[in-house]
Amino acid sequence: MYGWIWRHLPGPFAVRVLTAVLLIAGVVALLMFVVFPWIEPKLPFNEVTTE
């Protein structure tokens, strides 16, 4: 899959690297600001009881 993405990025090597870094940063930002806050209340890790 990564090879397929790399082959479909436009431009020379430097532009491909920059585009790949921007894509990775976008995915990380989407996960950190949208997906993880949405799923965090649904996880059972906050229901910890000690005796």
Side-chain angles (χ1 to χ4, degrees):
M1 178 174 178
Y2 298 116
W4 182 86
I5 293 171
W6 184 256
R7 285 190 305 271
H8 287 85
L9 290 176
F13 181 76
V15 175
R16 287 182 179 197
V17 169
L18 180 63
T19 306
V21 168
L22 290 175
L23 285 172
I24 292 168
V27 168
V28 168
L30 180 70
L31 287 172
M32 295 300 279
F33 295 115
V34 177
V35 175
F36 293 155
W38 173 75
I39 196 118
E40 192 267 333
K42 296 170 177 36
L43 296 175
F45 305 128
N46 291 336
E47 301 171 8
V48 178
T49 59
T50 58
E51 296 180 16

